[in-house]
Amino acid sequence: MEFSQLFEMQKQLDRYIEETQNIQHDVFDEKGLALLVELGELANETRCFKFWSTKGPSERSVILEEFVDSIHFMLSLGYMRDFKLDEWPVVMEKADLTKCFINATQTVLTFLQHQTEENYKDIWTQYSLIAYNLGFTVEDIIEAYKLKNEKNYERQRNGY
């Protein structure tokens, strides 16, 4: 599966949710806030900023699932503004995760305030940097996205 196909998968999921939940208004801002919340949840699972704690990060599978929760909203925001990426932006640079999360948060906020394609692509670049520093490959992300996409359909069918 090509990375670009994830946009279509997300569009179909979003349509399903909008129909089953009877969404009649633009939910761009809600998705933007959801992305910020998911980014925070991802940071929380890595525990990279918790200097006061000796407890380590969550299991890799938990962190990866949190990562792809963000991907769902990033895809949604992109197609809502007719922005699309054909491939995952590759950034292979060792970086401090705490700084990565701060930079990613700022990048998301910049995009929400100035919805340009360049600002949208910057979010993906920041997430690519986070993925690299968490040890996730594009294949890991696509596979986890597909699994979470199915789980999201199941949740909708079961009244999540």
Side-chain angles (χ1 to χ4, degrees), residues 37-50:
V37 169
E38 294 299 343
L39 180 60
E41 289 178 3
L42 174 60
N44 196 49
E45 294 299 337
T46 70
R47 301 180 61 83
C48 65
F49 62 95
K50 295 188 176 187

Side-chain angles (χ1 to χ4, degrees), residues 39 98 105:
L39 180 60
T98 299
T105 300

